[in-house]
Amino acid sequence: MIKNLTGEYETVEYDTKKYAMLYDNIQTEAYPVHWHDAVEIIMPIKGEYSVNVAGIDYRLLENDIIIIPPGELHSMPAIAGRRLIFQCDNKILSNVTVLEPVTRVMNVPIVIDNSYNKDLHALAKKTMLDILSLYDSKSELSDVKIYLKIIELFMALSEFQLERQKTVMDCDDEKLGEYNEKFGTVLKYIDSNYMYDITLEQLADVAGYSKYHFSRIFKQYNSMSYLQYINARRTKAAETLLLDPDMPITEVAMRSGFKSLTTFNRIFKEIKHCTPTDFKKLYSTTH
């Protein structure tokens, strides 16, 4: 099923005039550790399936769904059965600013089963089956309809996570609205200033909270600390800069906001599961 694998990097080749790929997979074949830029969604139709993402094993029963974010190392052992494996171009989703609140669901792997939420599980299953029906359509609108299905699923996931967030943070709609506004401003501030030093005091001031309150609420709101978020944003910037074959790794680190090459290497590997040098080599080889 993997057509083009260089090292651990898979080049996803979409069919002509298509921006999505669907495999109706019945091969009893192991797929080695690899990663790619595409969003990947897998649903077993007949028999169970197993997927390892970033060293964690996920066991899927029939009709369970896993969403694998772009850039995550993952592998699948040889298991008999049938499963749908869907891939779509992340750039189409991530480059649309208005979709940013929705595409946040791709930050970590998500398994959608009955224990996660029955309504979401039913919607995710229907989404995959609808994509199966649409994929072989000759209509020039089939890809548009497929992306609309994916966005609808991600919207439902986002709404579910917001409701769960209210429970975790023990707040009502009005208070959550306040957090959305304030932390939306904070995230935009980080997005514009990640290349510079950003202190806790600066971020707390942007939000209008005390340092202690900001640090605690930010972690509840984003499921990560403000430092983890800043490092993730810097790593995302570094990925883009690493595509330039003429830019040295040290310059990439400095322009991304990392103050030392050692810190850059450590954090990049923690997040991307490969070194910046390996990442650069994979891209230079495949492109």
Side-chain angles (χ1 to χ4, degrees), residues 211-258:
K211 290 189 297 182
Y212 171 77
H213 187 65
F214 171 82
S215 182
R216 180 175 61 85
I217 299 299
F218 187 99
K219 189 169 185 177
Q220 287 182 334
Y221 184 84
N222 289 283
S223 300
M224 65 177 73
S225 71
Y226 73 94
L227 283 175
Q228 289 173 318
Y229 187 92
I230 292 171
N231 283 334
R233 181 62 185 88
R234 287 171 174 164
T235 300
K236 183 179 178 181
E239 288 180 55
T240 302
L241 295 175
L242 287 167
L243 303 187
D244 184 346
D246 298 322
M247 186 175 295
I249 298 292
T250 302
E251 185 177 349
V252 170
M254 298 302 108
R255 290 178 60 176
S256 302
F258 295 98

Side-chain angles (χ1 to χ4, degrees), residues 55 63 66 74 76 85 138 166 180-181 191 206 215 237 247:
N63 299 318
I66 185 170
H74 58 287
M76 294 87 91
I85 301 178
K138 302 301 181 183
K166 285 195 297 185
N180 287 337
E181 181 180 354
D191 194 54
V206 170
S215 182
M247 186 175 295

Side-chain angles (χ1 to χ4, degrees), residues 13-21 89 92 134-135 137-147:
E13 287 191 358
Y14 303 105
D15 293 339
T16 304
K17 295 184 179 180
K18 277 190 171 292
Y19 298 92
M21 182 71 72
D89 192 340
I92 293 176
L134 287 166
Y135 186 72
S137 168
K138 302 301 181 183
S139 169
E140 63 179 3
L141 295 178
S142 60
D143 267 20
V144 177
K145 292 178 180 178
I146 286 173
Y147 273 89

Side-chain angles (χ1 to χ4, degrees), residues 231 235 249-254 257-271 274-277:
N231 283 334
T235 300
I249 298 292
T250 302
E251 185 177 349
V252 170
M254 298 302 108
F258 295 98
K259 297 309 174 187
S260 76
L261 191 57
T262 301
T263 301
F264 176 47
N265 285 328
R266 175 177 58 80
I267 291 174
F268 192 94
K269 189 168 185 179
E270 284 176 1
I271 294 175
C274 66
T275 67
T277 301

Side-chain angles (χ1 to χ4, degrees), residues 15-34:
D15 293 339
T16 304
K17 295 184 179 180
K18 277 190 171 292
Y19 298 92
M21 182 71 72
L22 181 72
Y23 298 96
D24 190 350
N25 179 265
I26 57 172
Q27 297 171 311
T28 307
E29 180 181 356
Y31 302 109
V33 174
H34 64 286

